[in-house]
Amino acid sequence: MSQDHRFPEGFLWGAATSAYQVEGSPLADGAGLSIWQRFTHSPGLVKNGDTGDVACDHYRLWESDVRLMRELGLNAYRFSVSWSRVLPEGRGRVNQPGIDFYSRLVDALLENNIQPLVTLYHWDLPAALDDRGGWLNPDIPGWFADYATVMYRALDDRVRMWATLNEPWVVTDGGYLHGALAPGHKNLWEAPLATHQLMRSHGAAVQAYRAEGKHQIGLVVNIEPKDPASDSSEDLAATRRAEAYMNRQFLDPAIHGRYPEEMREIFGEAWPDFPQSEIDQIRQPVDFLGINYYTRSVTCDDPKALPVRAGRVRQKRHAYTETDWEVYPPGLTNTLTWIKENYGDIPLYVTENGAAFYDPPTVEGDELSDPLRVDYFRTHLRAAREAMRQGVDLRGYFAWSLLDNFEWSLGYSKRFGIVHVDFETQKRTPKASARYYSQVIRQGGL
Ligand code: BGC
C-alpha cells in the first residue's frame, strides 16, 4: 500500500446510528414520548406509514449488535441518546432504566475495544418539551444543559467523546421551515428562532461539560459544498446565500461568534437582531468538529425557491443515489479543507458519510453484494485521505450507517446500512461494503 493510502495509527474507524432510527421500543422501561413518536403516528407524514416502533430492535439486540461491530473490526461507534428515555418529561425526573440502557451499551463497547462517541441530540425531542414550544422556547438551553449534565455524570467516566447536536440545520430546515421532519412546522418566522435556541443550547451544553466533564466535546454539522452553476452574478449570489444558509449558519456563531450577514438577506424581517451577549455564549471552544458529508450542490439562482432563492442543477454525467444525491467524492476533500480555511485547525472527524442504494428486503444466504456502495466508500475514503495530505487534521471516519434503519420521513424505503437488516426477521447480513470497510480497517488504509 502506498503511503498516500495509509491512515495514521490511532485513527478512529467507526460506524454511526441514532436512537430513534435503530432502537425501537420507544416507550419501554418508563421512557417518555418523543416528537418522532408523535410524528410517525400522525397519518400521512411518513412514507408507507412506517414508524420507529420496532426499527432495528437495537434496544433489545444491542449485545449482538456490539458483537457484530467487533467482528467488523470497528474501533469506534457513534450513537445518540434518546432524551425522553432518560428524562421522560424532558426535564426534572430522571428515569434510571433509560440511563442503564446506555451505560450497559458503553460497557459492552469498551469491553470490545470500541470507543463510544455519544451524541446528545439526534432529533428526538421529548414531546413534553415540544408542548412548551420545543426549540422555540428561550428556556430550552437550560433544559438541554440539565439533561446533558445528567448524561455527563452517568457516562463521562467511560465516554471520552461527546457531541451536543447532530445537524442543527436539518432540525431548523426540516422541523420548522419546510415541515418534512418532526415537529413538522412550516413557518418562516420560527426557523431563525429555532436556530438561535439550538445554538444557545449547544453553547450551554459545552459550558456544562467544562464544569463536569474531563474529556472532549464538539458539534456535528452537515456540510454540503455549494458550487456555482455558472459565473453569472445571479448564480454566484445564490451560491453565497446557499452556503451561508446551510454551511455557515451554525458554524459561524459557534466558532466566530456571529451569524452570517446573508441571513438577513435570506429571511428578511423574519431574522431578528439577536443580542450579542447570547451569541457570545454560543461561541464556546470545542475540542473537535464532526462533519457529516453526503453530497454537494451545483447551485443556481431560483427566485421561486424561498427563502434562499437557490436551486440545484442536476449533473448529467454523474451518478446519483437512491435519495437523489449526486455522488461527488471531491466534495468531501473540499469540505474538509474549507472547514480548515474558514474555521481554523480544529481536529475533525467525518461523523457520517454513506449512501442509500437499492438492496432487496430479504437476503438469501449470508452474502449481499452492493457494488455501488463499495465504490462510494472507496472513493470517499480516498477523498478523506487526500484532505489529510493537504494538511487537514482528520482523526476518524464513521460510516453512515452501521445498519439499514428508519430513514425519517422516508421510513424503511431507503437503505443506508453497511449491514443489511431484514425488517421482518431482524436478521443482520453484512453487505460487501461492510466486508470492504473491514478490510480497509484491518490494513489501516486503502
Ligand atoms: C442524518 C441521519 C440520516 C442521514 C441520511 C443525516 O442527515 O444525521 O440521521 O439518516 O443523514 O439521510
Side-chain angles (χ1 to χ4, degrees):
M1 188 192 318
S2 87
Q3 247 351 74
D4 279 0
H5 291 153
R6 196 174 289 284
F7 283 72
E9 211 46 44
F11 192 80
L12 290 190
W13 295 105
T17 62
S18 88
Y20 192 76
Q21 293 181 274
V22 299
E23 285 176 359
S25 309
L27 298 177
D29 303 326
L33 267 184
S34 79
I35 55 173
W36 268 96
Q37 180 74 1
R38 277 191 178 160
F39 194 81
T40 53
H41 286 268
S42 306
L45 299 183
V46 174
K47 189 153 182 178
N48 302 324
D50 289 342
T51 74
D53 288 2
V54 178
C56 307
D57 208 8
H58 173 75
Y59 189 75
R60 299 189 307 153
L61 300 178
W62 59 276
E63 277 177 293
S64 49
D65 285 339
V66 172
R67 270 201 302 279
L68 181 62
M69 291 179 224
R70 188 194 57 207
E71 279 156 26
L72 295 177
L74 305 185
N75 64 15
Y77 175 52
R78 172 174 177 246
F79 65 91
S80 78
V81 172
S82 158
W83 186 343
S84 54
R85 275 199 202 287
V86 173
L87 294 158
E89 289 87 34
R91 25 177 233 155
R93 186 176 62 89
V94 172
N95 179 43
Q96 192 57 40
I99 296 191
D100 293 345
F101 169 70
Y102 295 108
S103 188
R104 282 193 298 268
L105 176 61
V106 164
D107 284 342
L109 291 167
L110 294 174
E111 278 159 24
N112 288 285
N113 295 319
I114 300 169
Q115 178 166 333
L117 193 173
V118 178
T119 306
L120 289 165
Y121 187 71
H122 200 127
W123 309 354
D124 46 356
L125 188 73
L129 297 185
D130 192 47
D131 292 341
R132 296 171 176 266
W135 291 108
L136 304 172
N137 190 317
D139 290 337
I140 198 166
W143 304 336
F144 186 61
D146 289 347
Y147 151 61
T149 300
V150 168
M151 294 315 302
Y152 303 151
R153 289 188 182 152
L155 303 183
D156 194 62
D157 58 339
R158 286 157 291 156
V159 168
R160 287 189 278 154
M161 295 186 71
W162 295 86
T164 54
L165 308 174
N166 178 69
E167 302 188 353
W169 179 81
V170 176
V171 179
T172 294
D173 182 84
Y176 290 87
L177 183 64
H178 291 119
L181 303 176
H185 300 193
K186 292 184 191 168
N187 190 318
L188 183 75
W189 299 79
E190 287 183 0
L193 303 180
T195 288
H196 190 57
Q197 301 311 342
L198 279 159
M199 294 317 291
R200 289 185 63 219
S201 300
H202 157 74
V206 175
Q207 271 180 326
Y209 191 71
R210 298 304 172 211
E212 292 285 337
K214 294 187 189 56
H215 307 104
Q216 302 210 333
I217 191 157
L219 171 68
V220 171
V221 287
N222 53 309
I223 301 290
E224 189 181 282
K226 308 293 177 187
D227 295 336
S230 80
D231 288 343
S232 75
S233 57
E234 290 81 7
D235 285 352
L236 293 176
T239 305
R240 186 175 44 75
R241 287 193 300 276
E243 181 182 281
Y245 178 62
M246 193 161 176
N247 298 342
R248 291 174 34 224
Q249 184 177 179
F250 304 90
L251 285 178
D252 277 16
I255 309 294
H256 295 319
R258 58 167 188 261
Y259 286 107
E261 41 186 62
E262 288 86 355
M263 300 316 295
R264 186 42 75 66
E265 205 181 321
I266 293 166
F267 281 98
E269 282 174 35
W271 186 267
D273 277 327
F274 295 115
Q276 189 56 45
S277 58
E278 291 182 1
I279 302 177
D280 289 342
Q281 285 164 4
I282 295 172
R283 183 190 191 182
Q284 299 294 326
V286 287
D287 302 304
F288 67 91
L289 287 174
I291 306 298
N292 296 351
Y293 174 82
Y294 289 92
T295 188
R296 65 138 174 198
S297 161
V298 176
T299 306
C300 62
D301 185 46
D302 181 354
K304 288 198 285 297
L306 295 172
V308 187
R309 291 174 285 123
R312 177 185 297 243
V313 180
R314 226 184 141 80
Q315 300 304 291
K316 291 204 186 66
R317 285 202 302 266
H318 286 173
Y320 279 74
T321 69
E322 279 265 299
T323 45
D324 211 22
W325 297 344
E326 183 190 348
V327 176
Y328 190 66
L332 177 55
T333 313
N334 298 344
T335 292
L336 297 170
T337 54
W338 179 85
I339 295 279
K340 181 175 167 162
E341 278 157 28
N342 287 277
Y343 299 103
D345 208 0
I346 305 172
L348 301 182
Y349 294 85
V350 172
T351 33
E352 288 180 29
N353 177 233
F357 290 112
Y358 176 78
D359 301 305
T362 41
V363 181
E364 303 297 332
D366 50 16
E367 303 243 320
L368 178 64
S369 159
D370 60 341
L372 296 175
R373 199 175 284 101
V374 171
D375 199 54
Y376 185 97
F377 282 117
R378 177 183 295 121
T379 50
H380 284 79
L381 284 166
R382 270 194 202 141
R385 184 67 191 83
E386 171 58 21
M388 295 165 81
R389 200 190 59 76
Q390 293 182 28
V392 170
D393 184 5
L394 183 68
R395 304 202 177 172
Y397 174 94
F398 293 78
W400 184 271
S401 176
L402 176 69
L403 302 169
D404 290 335
N405 60 44
F406 176 77
E407 178 54 23
W408 308 113
S409 52
L410 298 174
Y412 297 99
S413 68
K414 302 289 176 241
R415 293 177 176 270
F416 275 90
I418 56 174
V419 174
H420 181 276
V421 175
D422 181 327
F423 292 106
E424 293 294 316
T425 61
Q426 292 299 335
K427 180 178 163 228
R428 272 74 162 140
T429 309
K431 303 178 191 177
S433 52
R435 291 196 297 273
Y436 167 72
Y437 190 41
S438 291
Q439 187 196 337
V440 170
I441 299 171
R442 259 199 319 277
Q443 292 173 182
L446 298 156

